[in-house]
Amino acid sequence: MTKLRLYSAKACPFAHRTRLALKEKAIDAELIEVDLQNKPRAFVDASLYGKVPAIEHEGHRIWESAIINEYLEESFPEPPLLPREPGRRALARIWIDYANTRLVPAFAQLLRAETPEQEAEGRKALGDVLAFIDREALARSSGPGPYWLGADVSLVDLAFYPWFERLPAVDRLRGFSIPAELTRLRAWIDAVAARDAVRAIANPVDFYVERYAKFVKPAAAATAA
């Protein structure tokens, strides 16, 4: 079998998703760190969107993190990272879509706000998303288990977690933290953060602060400090 090749960028949360899936499944892969300001020809050929992550495997070129992770699930089925039962598998896909269409935009809206009004709107948008996750996802679908779908880690956990590893940087830059009453969400973060696969590729908060600071106007950063 041809060794899988992953084009990645360490700071990218989408690439982070796929690196987590590779770690959880113990897939031996060639990791190629891409400078997105100076993209190598091989990467451009592999990712027609010009975005990370992208993989090459068995003659296939695949991009978009959620699609890559499902490909990994189908090509390397053990250990499973999606439920076997169709209804539960559909639920997992719904939540992954929620990460893409709700969490990611709200996170970016707050981080990239250019005016106090935009920052207030972003703060509310992200707060609403986190409250919805605590109430409608973790309180309903996790049961007594520590992970999104219960006792076992899944692609849903890996789809969401990269933004929560980066959230302390948003706290530093924007003064936004997870409300104390969102106890299920806080417990979920702790459970995922403690996994060996997650710890193996975790970055410190300063790493993200340094990279995200350019999105925050100096006045806003000073106010948050």
Side-chain angles (χ1 to χ4, degrees):
M1 180 178 290
T2 305
K3 188 173 184 178
L4 187 148
R5 176 178 294 168
L6 169 66
Y7 295 93
S8 178
K10 191 175 181 181
C12 175
F14 296 98
H16 193 171
R17 287 173 163 179
T18 294
R19 292 174 64 213
L20 287 172
L22 291 171
K23 286 291 185 182
E24 288 288 353
K25 286 182 171 289
I27 298 170
D28 184 24
E30 178 186 0
L31 177 63
I32 299 175
E33 184 74 9
V34 175
D35 178 356
L36 295 175
Q37 305 306 313
N38 185 25
K39 300 172 184 176
R41 182 74 245 177
F43 167 67
V44 174
D45 290 342
S47 176
L48 299 189
Y49 292 176
K51 300 189 300 184
V52 292
I55 65 169
E56 293 177 329
H57 183 243
E58 298 291 303
H60 302 296
R61 298 176 302 164
I62 305 167
W63 55 95
E64 293 296 329
S65 60
I67 296 171
I68 291 172
N69 283 7
E70 286 219 32
Y71 173 84
L72 296 177
E73 176 70 3
E74 293 169 359
S75 299
F76 304 88
E78 297 299 331
L81 292 177
L82 282 176
R84 303 294 192 194
E85 194 275 316
R88 294 285 287 172
R89 185 170 284 229
L91 179 64
R93 291 185 173 119
I94 288 169
W95 282 119
I96 291 170
D97 181 73
Y98 187 86
N100 294 338
T101 60
R102 301 295 192 276
L103 174 64
V104 174
F107 184 98
Q109 183 180 359
L110 175 56
L111 183 64
R112 295 172 177 267
E114 296 184 354
T115 67
E117 293 76 18
Q118 290 177 354
E119 184 175 343
E121 291 170 1
R123 192 178 299 277
K124 182 180 185 305
L126 186 55
D128 288 348
V129 166
L130 299 187
F132 186 87
I133 289 171
D134 188 271
R135 181 181 70 250
E136 299 296 336
L138 300 174
R140 291 178 180 266
S141 61
S142 297
Y147 302 115
W148 205 281
L149 299 180
D152 300 313
V153 73
S154 73
L155 290 183
V156 182
D157 301 290
L158 309 189
F160 279 87
Y161 181 76
W163 282 267
F164 288 95
E165 182 171 295
R166 289 155 176 79
L167 198 56
V170 179
D171 188 7
R172 290 248 198 113
L173 295 167
R174 292 294 194 189
F176 179 94
S177 59
I178 298 173
E181 64 268 21
L182 302 185
T183 55
R184 292 300 296 262
L185 179 57
R186 287 172 171 270
W188 171 79
I189 294 169
D190 290 344
V192 179
R195 293 189 64 81
D196 290 342
V198 175
R199 291 165 61 88
I201 60 172
N203 292 309
V205 177
D206 287 346
F207 175 85
Y208 297 118
V209 169
E210 180 181 347
R211 284 150 183 81
Y212 286 165
K214 62 184 178 182
F215 300 126
V216 179
K217 286 185 174 296
T223 301

